[in-house]
């Protein structure tokens, strides 16, 4: 699949935003501190930024509101609906934190749950597609959720360290989620790389009983919408290298930095280390998301020799 | 559940439908052009049209984009920069016509042969030929010489008609269909419709073709033959049939010259010619009375074998004996030809067995009594349901004439010509050779300011009809009807530029071309031709070919080489006539012709070429174009179509003649004729009576019908010429036994190739170059969705073939380590090209190939300069030379069939070498037109979106 | 509308494509483009139409495959490589994922005849339906920003301004090889259903669980020519020319 920057940006940014919002909803941090107030504002901004970038990616963004109508069948619609609904508890929590300086458990926990559901919906958009065997697995929502949680706790750690309380708890949980997320991702990758293709040129054409099927001529010589959108292919060699980079940047380095932060306990080091951890994590995540698309082979490529 | 959205289901398609004839290719399907708001909304096939019965091909459906292509020429152009620069200024038609008249008139007064008038794949040869004849130049031909004259000439000289547009398989009845070397052909849609019918009926379809694409892809059996060896395959089948005695003896006795006695008198001027009586009647040997009697003697039972002593003491044998002895020879056994053809002996035997089985064991019959030309009555039409079709895969080789003849011989031997289930003639064919003229163009045939005394093209009956001067040198600029190509019935268009440039046989002043992209895909040695067109005489500073007038409708490569460009209309904007006098669209059961008419008005300053030609004819005061007072006879082409008469009562169109429009074939001029055609869907069709539908070559009812229709003034039955006497006359000349004697230089080659019985010889290029050095064949194929060069300016079609890869057999890829996307050098004895490859398995293992004419020159066709057609597309033509490699005899022979002069495109031999990957194919030429801005997006029909 | 209609729909309109006769001529491709670019919904645009990166929206495309039998040889009769032309447009699936994924309801399957359509006035151009289609049957029109797909020529098949015979899809009407057939696959007695039954028509990628309506007819089995080589037909044999001419004389007597 073509790794469209807008979609990568969307899933990365909104994933971090939802993660942060979800963690804030747990009430682990002191809602009255400035940095937590900022976090309460940053989370919706990240979410909105992500949503905006994906909306602009549409052919007819002016009709985007229509996407809310088909929640009964469409994960994309569900995501849209959830995204909007989730803003309600998030805004309430934010109000209470920013204006009133306190944590409202009901709003917070509902927000956490809804963030989780929204991320799940996002993941299910991909995971529900049979045409993309790589994505069509329960590991996909698992990874999305774990990555969102890890990102949320990482960001929460920053907020905690900056506010002086709760940093270490968040950092510790973050480290656990980072590890868990990459383990899940590792499973996801293992599955992907050992997949027996569900569909093949033989099944796509039904000609397998005559022999081995190979594309001879494309319908049109140049690329078309389908090959541009779905024909993206990353070399296996590069994919392996990039997944290592993703794991190191998004997994090993953040965990190390979190350990540094936790060991040093308080002060500037913790903040710097946790911020760096977030930065590396985000970088790792962007690479992971890029690969998520780039490595996924669409069934239509059976018709295009890819 | 919510209700579904409302969809407008019953919108009228258009405001108006106008029925005309497609011209995205020469198949000439009927089209319904839907017009909405004055624009073309939709083009679909005319369901009533006999050619396509409602279907259309990709090109036909893309007519909208052809009609609105930005590459259309807009006004007459006068060259301002050097040739090839694409620098022109637009001039008015008055200026353009005055200039053209001036140039043409000068030549006509001075020396009419200094005009070379050659036309491409137009469909108005009866007009252009007539014009050229009235002008008086001997140098006229259409494009048949580089196209498929081998097919036409071999067919006409053997059975009186040819595969090439003059006949068709009996699609509804054939049980075995064998197709040789066809990718698309002119009968594009009818062939596809036909193949589909065969498949539905469960008939077997065999394709003989080195490449398995298109039609071959759906064939039941594919014979991936090595190019240039079909003659051997066919003769091996003949060998098997003779051996197994699977011959229709009755048929060959009745309808062929198998019984005609051939004089066996070696060393004399008549050796190998038919024995004739004083009236010129061929003689046969009567087996009951044991007398030599004239053909047609009542009750005579003519022998097919035996050596007969003639009354004058000389000896003769029936021609069939020569035939049988020749092909029964073990050299034609399947085993003997397997290696050369690349076809296993069992496959050849299997093919022969199937042909024999279907022809004889599955014979069919139509219970319809009929009478033959000997007044013998037959109770039924007996059919041998084996049919054949062939095109350029056979004919574009230097042995193509003889190969095509071999195939026709095979058809006759099994009795499968124009019977139910077999190949059938389309009127006005069959026509015996005697119904064709001999060529005109000898010195006594023309002169200053007068017409040529007869038609340019025809069939020489022997060396005496060649167009030679007193020294035996060619009279025509293309050297047609010279010793180089004695039976070049369609001329040699591919030699015109080279000869004119060399001044051999003489220099010309003016070249007038129409609808042929000679500076690109229709020339061999394209780079060389470009140089010749650009070349100046250093002494005078004048171009070696001093003046070029060209008519095109689009900005093709050739436009850039013209001095004066006459912009034509598109096919939707003009009158045209698809005439029985030219290349008709008849079917085996019906006589048909058609017209085009302006279904939309031109939005540019362009004029239909035929009208322009008629205008020029009047300005030049050519007989036939002006009356006795010098006044123009015809207003325009439409007027000419209606009022021109070739013979009294016979004009370009056969339908709706007579003052009431109720006469067919012959009849008075009907001023309403075009309207009647338009009302009828722009075509006319009249059915042949059932009694006359088969065995037309010898069917009394058909012959009478043909006379009524005006094809002939008296019946002209055809006797199939298995043994071709004309060819033997050339051999006698080459043996110095007959006048005129062939020049010494040509004798060996005439003796080797002019066999009166079909032979196979190695294609010349293959024989001339080292087979080790150039181990592979390189050929091209027509893509179904493109017509030569005229698809690339079409925004829809060009997406299908934006560039052309070179297809290389898997075995060769493995041998030299090539994968898809690699680049190679392809090297022939003449040149080298650098191109991108793609792997293919379904191809003869020594054959590489590509799609024809996809490669474009930068700047042409109003494409951006970095269009893939120009950057990566390529022409095979750069590798093909118009001359064969020197043989050391001091001669440079043309790369053509020695008999007909047909361009031997597919004789090409090459080797390939791996090259660096690249972005641009080589050779690459500079732009032929200044760059122009193009639309970034096309949304045709958006105004109608609902 | 994004929910699928109850299955099966009363009628299942679709195409049957005969791979045994498709010659890969692309006629259906262009005819489809031509019909639809002035018909249902936005025009089918072409980008860079005369330039280097030309591409456009097409609702039907022809792919060409080479099929290599195990141990196949390049030339000759047995087991050789084959070329199969393969037309492909929307299969109007019964379990059409392209419908259920659509967030706006633009993509829908008609309850009456099963035709899958896009209501362009609702389409936001998110592209998800194209992702969900394993067959590559949906293409986003870059100029209009809406999803385009084969409409089964819904504006022809019900078009009362057309003659009865012409109420068939443009691609079917134009196909010179008669490789495309249109009809109701829900009616076991229809021509198309019978054709499918007789010829072993099959689904593309059944494993995708989409249950396509369109069916493909496989290339017919082929009988090699070499198998006829040993047949009795050629058994009658001539020993040299003499024997042949003797036979000829006999034949002449019979005429
Ligand atoms: N390598 C290789 N070369 C080949 C062949 C091959 O198989 N392989 N095939 C050969 C054969 S058989 C042929 S027939 C030739 C064909 O070669 P050409 O005769 O050159 O055919 P086209 O490319 O169709 O070019 C004809 C010209 O007609 C113009 N034209 C199109 N429509 C109109 C119109 O309405 N009016 C006018 N006045 N002009 C129009 C086009 O713009 C184009 O410039 O190519 C030959 N060249
Ligand atoms: N779509 C489309 N239709 C066209 C044209 C076009 O450009 N496009 N051009 C028109 C013109 S001008 C012409 S002349 C006709 C020509 O019509 P075709 O004769 O069909 O044209 P070619 O593409 O030259 O096809 C020749 C076939 O012969 C095969 N071949 C080559 N060498 C040999 C050989 O030695 N033996 C055998 N058995 N096969 C061989 C090639 O693989 C190819 O398939 O088509 C006409 N119709
Ligand atoms: S075959 Fe195609 S291009 Fe040729 S006349 Fe027919 S529809 Fe037109
Ligand atoms: S083929 Fe694709 S677009 Fe058509 S119904 Fe099936 S899934 Fe949807
Ligand atoms: S592109 Fe249009 S039709 Fe497709 S899923 Fe999105 S909104 Fe629906
Ligand atoms: S049915 Fe209509 S829309 Fe669908 S492929 Fe055929 S022509 Fe195109
Ligand atoms: S029009 Fe018919 S034969 Fe041609 S590509 Fe389409 S389905 Fe195949
Ligand atoms: Mo041709």
């Amino acid at each position: 699949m073509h790794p469209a920057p807008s979609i990568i940006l969307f899933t990365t940014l909104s994933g971090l935003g939802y993660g942060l919002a979800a963690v804030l909803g747990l009430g682990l941090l002191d809602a009255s501190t400035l940095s937590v107030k900022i976090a309460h504002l940053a989370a919706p901004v990240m979410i909105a930024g992500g949503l905006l970038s994906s909306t602009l990616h549409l052919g007819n963004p002016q009709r985007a509101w229509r996407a809310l109508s088909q929640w009964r069948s469409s994960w994309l619609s569900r995501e849209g609906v959830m995204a909007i609904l989730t803003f309600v508890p998030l805004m309430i929590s934010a109000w209470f934190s920013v204006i009133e300086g306190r944590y409202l458990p009901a709003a917070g926990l509902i927000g956490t749950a809804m963030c989780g559901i929204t991320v799940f919906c996002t993941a299910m958009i991909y995971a529900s597609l049979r045409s993309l065997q790589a994505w069509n697995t329960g590991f996909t929502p698992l990874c999305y959720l774990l990555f969102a949680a890890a990102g949320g706790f990482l960001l929460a750690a920053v907020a905690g360290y900056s506010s002086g309380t709760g940093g270490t708890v968040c950092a510790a949980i973050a480290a656990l989620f980072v590890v868990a997320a990459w383990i899940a991702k590792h499973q996801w990758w293992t599955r992907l790389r050992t997949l027996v293709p569900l569909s093949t040129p033989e099944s796509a054409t039904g000609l397998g009983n005559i022999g081995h099927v190979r594309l001879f001529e494309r319908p049109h010589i140049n690329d078309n919408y389908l090959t541009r959108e779905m024909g993206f292919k990353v070399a296996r060699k590069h994919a392996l290298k990039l997944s290592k980079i993703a794991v190191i940047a998004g997994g090993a380095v953040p965990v190390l930095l979190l350990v540094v932060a936790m060991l040093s306990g308080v002060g500037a080091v913790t903040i710097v280390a946790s911020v760096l951890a977030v930065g590396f994590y985000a970088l790792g995540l962007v690479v992971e998301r890029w690969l998520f698309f780039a490595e996924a082979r669409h069934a239509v490529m059976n018709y295009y020799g890819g | 559940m919510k209700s579904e959205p409302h969809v407008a289901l019953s919108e009228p398609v258009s405001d108006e439908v106008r029925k005309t004839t497609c011209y995205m290719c020469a198949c000439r399907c009927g089209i319904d052009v839907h017009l909405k708001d004055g624009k073309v909304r939709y083009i679909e096939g005319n369901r009533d049209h006999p050619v396509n019965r409602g279907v259309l091909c990709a090109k036909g459906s893309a007519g909208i984009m052809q009609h609105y292509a930005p590459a259309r020429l807009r006004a007459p152009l006068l060259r301002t920069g050097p040739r090839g620069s694409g620098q022109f200024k637009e001039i008015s038609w008055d200026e353009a016509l005055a200039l053209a008249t001036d140039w043409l008139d000068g030549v006509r007064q001075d020396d009419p042969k200094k005009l070379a008038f050659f036309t491409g794949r137009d469909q108005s040869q009866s007009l252009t030929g007539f014009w050229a004849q009235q002008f008086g130049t001997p140098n006229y031909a259409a494009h048949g010489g580089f196209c498929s004259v081998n097919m036409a000439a071999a067919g006409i000289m053997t059975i009186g008609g040819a595969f090439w547009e003059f006949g068709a398989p009996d699609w509804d009845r054939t049980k075995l269909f064998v197709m040789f070397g066809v990718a698309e052909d002119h009968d594009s849609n009818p062939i596809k419709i036909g193949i589909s019918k065969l498949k539905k009926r469960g008939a077997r379809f065999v394709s003989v073709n080195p490449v398995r694409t298109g039609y071959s892809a759906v064939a039941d059996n594919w014979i991936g033959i090595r190019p240039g060896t079909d003659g051997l395959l066919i003769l091996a089948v003949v060998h098997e049939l003779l051996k197994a005695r699977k011959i229709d003896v009755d048929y060959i006795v009745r309808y062929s010259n198998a019984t005609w006695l051939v004089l066996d008198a070696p060393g004399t001027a008549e050796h190998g010619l038919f024995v004739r009586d004083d009236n010129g009647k061929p003689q046969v040997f009567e087996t009951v009375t044991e007398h030599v009697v004239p053909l047609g003697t009542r009750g005579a039972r003519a022998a097919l074998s035996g050596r007969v002593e003639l009354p004058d003491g000389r000896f003769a044998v029936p021609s069939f004996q020569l035939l049988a002895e020749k092909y029964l020879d073990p050299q034609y056994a399947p085993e003997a030809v397997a290696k050369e053809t690349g076809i296993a002996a069992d496959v050849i035997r299997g093919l022969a067995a199937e042909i024999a089985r279907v022809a004889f064991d599955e014979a069919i019959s139509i219970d319809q009594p009929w009478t033959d030309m000997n007044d013998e009555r037959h109770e039924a039409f007996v059919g041998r349901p084996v049919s054949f079709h062939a095109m350029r895969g056979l004919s574009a080789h230097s042995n193509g004439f003889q190969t095509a003849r071999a195939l026709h011989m095979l058809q006759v031997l099994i009795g499968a010509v124009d019977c139910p289930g077999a190949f059938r003639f389309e009127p006005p064919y069959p026509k015996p050779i005697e119904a064709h003229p001999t060529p005109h163009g000898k010195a006594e045939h023309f002169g200053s300011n007068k017409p040529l005394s007869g038609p340019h093209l025809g069939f020489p009956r022997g060396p005496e009809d060649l167009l030679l001067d007193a020294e035996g040198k060619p009279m025509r600029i293309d050297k047609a009807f010279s010793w180089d190509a004695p039976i070049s019935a369609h001329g040699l268009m591919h030699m015109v530029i080279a000869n004119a440039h060399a001044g051999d046989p003489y220099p010309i002043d003016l070249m007038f071309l129409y609808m042929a992209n000679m500076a690109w895909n229709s020339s061999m040695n394209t780079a060389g031709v470009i140089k010749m067109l650009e070349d100046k005489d250093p002494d005078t500073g004048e171009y070696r070919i001093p003046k070029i007038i060209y008519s095109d409708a689009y900005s093709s490569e050739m436009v850039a080489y013209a001095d004066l460009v006459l912009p034509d209309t598109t096919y939707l904007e003009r009158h045209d006539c698809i005439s029985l006098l030219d290349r008709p669209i008849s079917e085996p059961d019906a006589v048909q012709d058609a017209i085009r008419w302006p279904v939309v008005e031109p939005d540019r300053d362009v004029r239909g070429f035929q009208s322009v030609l008629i205008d020029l004819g009047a300005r030049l005061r050519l007989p036939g174009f002006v009356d006795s007072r010098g006044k123009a006879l015809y207003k325009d082409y439409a007027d000419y179509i209606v009022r021109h008469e070739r013979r009294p009562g016979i004009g370009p169109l056969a339908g709706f003649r007579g003052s009431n429009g109720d006469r067919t074939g012959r009849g008075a001029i009907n001023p309403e004729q075009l309207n009647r055609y338009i009302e009828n869907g722009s075509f006319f069709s009249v059915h042949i009576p059932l009694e006359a539908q088969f065995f037309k070559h010898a069917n009394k009812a058909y012959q009478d019908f043909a006379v009524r229709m005006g094809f002939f003034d008296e019946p002209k039955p055809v006797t199939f010429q298995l043994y071709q006497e004309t060819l033997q006359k050339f051999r006698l000349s080459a043996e110095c036994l007959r006048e005129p004697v062939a020049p010494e230089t040509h004798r060996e080659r005439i003796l080797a190739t002019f066999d009166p019985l079909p032979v196979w010889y190695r294609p010349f290029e293959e024989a001339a170059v080292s087979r080790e050095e150039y181990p592979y064949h390189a050929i091209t194929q027509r893509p179904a969705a493109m017509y030569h060069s005229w698809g690339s300016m079409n925004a829809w079609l060009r997406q299908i073939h934006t560039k052309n890869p070179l297809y290389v057999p898997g075995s060769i890829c493995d041998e030299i380590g090539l994968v898809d996307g690699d680049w190679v050098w392809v090297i022939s004895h003449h040149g080298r090209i650098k191109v991108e490859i793609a792997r293919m398995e379904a191809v003869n293992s020594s054959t590489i190939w590509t799609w024809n004419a996809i490669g474009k020159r930068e700047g042409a066709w109003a494409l951006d300069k970095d269009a893939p057609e120009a950057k990566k597309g390529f022409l095979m033509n750069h590798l093909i030379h118009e001359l064969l490699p020197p043989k050391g005899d001091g001669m440079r022979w043309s790369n053509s069939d020695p008999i007909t002069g047909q361009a031997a495109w597919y004789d090409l031999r090459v080797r390939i070498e791996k090259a660096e990957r690249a972005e641009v194919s080589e050779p690459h030429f500079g732009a032929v037109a200044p760059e122009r801005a193009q639309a970034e997006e096309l949304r045709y029909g958006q105004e109608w979106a609902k | 509308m994004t929910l699928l209609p109850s299955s099966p729909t009363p009628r299942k309109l679709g195409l049957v494509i005969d791979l045994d006769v498709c010659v890969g001529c692309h006629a259906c491709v262009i005819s489809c483009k031509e019909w639809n670019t002035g018909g249902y919904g936005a025009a089918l645009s072409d980008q860079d139409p005369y330039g280097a990166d030309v591409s456009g929206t097409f609702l039907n495309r022809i792919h060409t495959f080479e099929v290599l039998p195990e141990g196949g040889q390049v030339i000759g009769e047995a087991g050789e490589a084959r070329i199969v032309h393969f037309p492909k447009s929307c299969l109007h699936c019964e379990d059409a994922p392209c419908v259920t994924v659509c967030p706006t309801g633009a993509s829908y399957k008609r309850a009456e005849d099963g035709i899958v359509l896009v209501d362009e006035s609702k389409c936001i151009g998110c592209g998800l339906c194209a992702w969900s289609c394993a067959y590559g049957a949906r293409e986003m029109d870059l100029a209009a920003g809406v999803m385009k797909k084969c409409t089964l020529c819904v504006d022809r098949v019900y078009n009362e301004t057309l003659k009865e015979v012409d109420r068939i899809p443009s691609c079917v009407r134009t196909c010179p090889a008669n490789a495309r057939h249109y009809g109701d696959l829900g009616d076991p007695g229809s021509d198309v259903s019978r054709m499918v039954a007789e010829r072993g028509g099959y689904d593309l990628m059944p494993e995708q669980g989409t249950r396509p309506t369109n069916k493909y007819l496989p290339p017919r089995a082929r009988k090699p020519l070499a198998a006829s080589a040993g047949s009795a037909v050629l058994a009658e044999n001539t020993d040299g020319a003499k024997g042949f001419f003797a036979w000829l004389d006999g034949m002449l007597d019979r005429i």
Side-chain angles (χ1 to χ4, degrees), chain B residues 174-471:
Chain B
T174 196
K175 296 182 187 174
L176 171 62
F177 173 53
V178 189
M179 186 164 85
F180 287 81
V182 180
E184 260 299 298
D185 203 353
H186 295 86
D187 249 1
S188 293
N189 282 331
I191 291 177
K192 293 181 186 88
I193 297 170
I195 288 176
S196 163
K197 282 184 180 169
L198 295 184
K199 292 236 149 194
K200 201 164 179 184
R201 287 193 292 107
R204 195 197 276 257
F205 165 27
V206 178
S207 176
V208 184
N209 198 315
V211 194
R212 189 179 208 180
T213 53
Y215 306 153
S216 304
V218 301
D220 293 282
N221 302 106
W222 169 59
I223 299 181
I225 196 167
R226 190 169 77 79
T229 64
D230 301 75
L232 279 181
L233 168 66
I234 295 163
L235 296 177
V237 168
V238 168
H239 172 91
E240 286 293 289
L241 295 176
L242 287 171
K243 234 177 88 185
R245 299 160 170 170
K246 295 290 182 187
I247 302 294
D248 191 338
V249 176
D250 182 45
Y251 188 94
I252 57 172
V253 168
R254 284 176 191 280
Y255 306 125
S256 81
N257 64 8
T259 57
W260 296 12
L261 291 172
V262 176
L263 191 71
D264 182 12
T268 71
E270 276 93 44
H271 173 63
L273 303 186
F274 291 124
V275 179
R276 293 175 193 270
D277 65 11
D278 296 340
N279 303 321
K281 268 246 170 235
Q283 306 289 295
V284 297
F285 182 67
E286 212 288 306
T287 55
V288 180
T289 58
E290 305 212 327
H291 273 86
V292 173
V293 298
L295 179 73
T297 304
R298 283 220 166 258
R301 222 185 60 200
L304 282 170
S305 64
R307 192 172 146 89
V308 182
E309 186 170 352
L310 301 173
D312 62 9
R314 296 187 299 178
F315 286 89
V317 290
S319 74
F320 189 71
Q321 168 146 345
L322 300 173
L323 184 155
E325 278 170 348
K326 185 173 183 115
Y327 304 116
L328 277 167
D329 190 281
Q331 65 166 300
Y332 295 109
E335 285 75 13
V337 307
K339 186 158 176 286
E340 193 79 75
T341 57
I343 306 166
D346 263 0
V347 175
I348 302 176
R349 225 175 272 115
L351 176 63
E354 280 301 304
I355 290 174
R357 187 182 64 76
V358 177
F360 298 103
D361 301 355
E362 295 199 23
I364 55 179
S365 156
I366 293 177
D367 290 329
Q368 164 67 49
W370 64 285
T371 307
D372 70 23
M373 293 305 288
N374 293 326
D375 282 326
E376 203 178 314
R377 194 145 168 90
H378 304 254
E379 281 320 306
F381 290 120
V382 174
R384 311 241 171 252
V386 181
S387 58
F388 298 87
H389 187 69
M391 251 314 262
R392 296 186 66 259
L394 298 200
S395 59
H397 289 286
S398 55
N399 59 12
F401 174 84
Q402 288 284 19
T403 302
R405 255 184 56 71
L407 184 54
H408 292 305
M409 172 176 78
L410 167 62
Q411 292 174 283
V412 174
L413 291 176
I414 58 165
V417 176
D418 214 49
C419 64
F423 162 84
R424 293 175 61 201
F425 294 114
E426 297 173 340
Y429 288 84
K431 263 194 216 177
I433 211 76
E434 305 82 70
H436 291 266
T438 54
H440 290 74
K442 295 185 187 182
E444 65 265 33
H445 292 150
F446 67 96
S448 160
N449 211 7
K450 67 175 196 197
L452 193 71
S453 62
H456 298 85
L457 305 173
F459 287 85
R461 315 295 197 250
E464 60 280 9
D465 289 333
L466 293 180
L467 305 183
L468 303 170
D469 69 8
E471 288 134 49

Side-chain angles (χ1 to χ4, degrees), chain A residues 59-60 63 67 69-70 73-74 130-131 199 203 205 212 214 216-217 219-220 222 224 226 228-229 298 300 303, chain C residues 2 52 54-55 61-64 66 68 100-101 103 105 120 123-125 131 133 136 144-146 202 205 207-208:
Chain A
N60 278 294
R63 302 181 193 140
S69 65
Q70 303 303 313
S73 71
S74 164
R130 244 207 194 159
S131 50
S199 298
S203 74
T205 57
H212 171 69
R214 180 180 86 92
F216 174 61
E217 272 189 324
H220 292 70
N222 278 5
N224 61 31
L226 296 169
R228 278 188 295 251
E229 188 79 349
H298 196 285
V300 76
Y303 295 111
Chain C
T2 291
V54 56
S55 78
R61 294 181 187 256
I62 309 301
H63 301 241
T64 304
E66 193 168 55
L68 307 170
T100 51
V101 298
E120 294 178 9
C123 175
I124 57 175
W131 285 12
C133 172
V146 296
Y202 61 86
M205 297 199 266
E207 66 279 6
Q208 291 284 341

Side-chain angles (χ1 to χ4, degrees), chain B residues 1-5 7 9-13 41-45 47 54-58 61-62 64 70 189 192-193 196 199 204 212 214-215 217-224 240 242-246 249-250 253 301-302 304-305 320-321 324-325 328 346-347 349-350 353-354 356-357 784 793 795-796 798-800 802 840-843 845 862-864 866 868 934-942 944-945, chain C residues 1 3-5 20-23 25-27 30-31 33-35 37-52 54-56 58 66 68 74-77 80-83 85 108-111 117 119 122 143-144 154-156 158-162 165-166 168 170 173-178 220 222-226 228-229 231 233-234 236-238 241 243-245 247-249 251-253 255:
Chain B
M1 196 182 231
K2 277 182 285 175
S3 66
E4 284 175 359
V7 179
L9 295 175
S10 280
E11 291 289 310
V13 179
R41 156 68 184 95
Y42 182 60
I43 301 176
E44 63 185 337
R47 281 194 186 271
V55 307
L56 283 189
C57 77
S61 299
I64 295 179
N189 282 331
K192 293 181 186 88
I193 297 170
S196 163
K199 292 236 149 194
R204 195 197 276 257
R212 189 179 208 180
Y215 306 153
V218 301
D220 293 282
N221 302 106
W222 169 59
I223 299 181
E240 286 293 289
L242 287 171
K243 234 177 88 185
R245 299 160 170 170
K246 295 290 182 187
V249 176
D250 182 45
V253 168
R301 222 185 60 200
L304 282 170
S305 64
F320 189 71
Q321 168 146 345
E325 278 170 348
L328 277 167
D346 263 0
V347 175
R349 225 175 272 115
E354 280 301 304
R357 187 182 64 76
M793 72 294 216
W796 295 342
R798 73 178 284 251
Q799 295 184 48
I800 300 171
T802 324
M840 184 184 197
E841 307 294 340
V843 58
S845 60
L863 296 177
D864 285 355
D866 52 357
Q934 283 295 2
E936 276 170 28
E937 192 161 65
L938 204 66
R939 299 182 78 187
Y940 192 82
Q942 181 62 25
W944 301 313
Chain C
M1 241 18 316
L3 291 180
L4 288 162
D20 194 53
V21 292
C22 172
V23 293
C25 68
H26 294 258
I30 303 290
S31 182
K33 173 110 179 174
E34 186 199 22
W35 173 258
T37 196
Y40 183 101
L44 302 178
S45 66
D46 300 285
Q47 281 65 42
D48 202 13
Y50 304 102
V54 56
S55 78
F58 284 81
E66 193 168 55
L68 307 170
V74 176
I75 339 171
E77 283 291 321
E80 74 279 30
R82 274 214 204 158
I83 296 289
H85 299 289
Y108 68 105
K109 184 170 175 73
R110 283 159 56 96
L117 287 180
D119 177 356
K122 289 195 191 129
V154 67
D155 50 350
R156 290 183 63 87
Y158 293 113
N159 196 326
E160 279 158 16
T161 72
L162 294 180
V165 277
D166 285 333
I168 53 172
S170 192
R173 190 189 186 290
T174 210
C175 173
N178 200 20
R220 290 180 174 92
R222 316 264 157 109
K223 201 169 123 204
L225 272 179
S228 306
S231 72
V233 185
L234 297 182
E236 190 177 355
N237 227 322
T238 303
F244 177 76
F245 291 125
W247 168 83
L248 258 186
D249 284 345
M251 289 302 287
L252 283 177
D253 284 342
I255 290 171

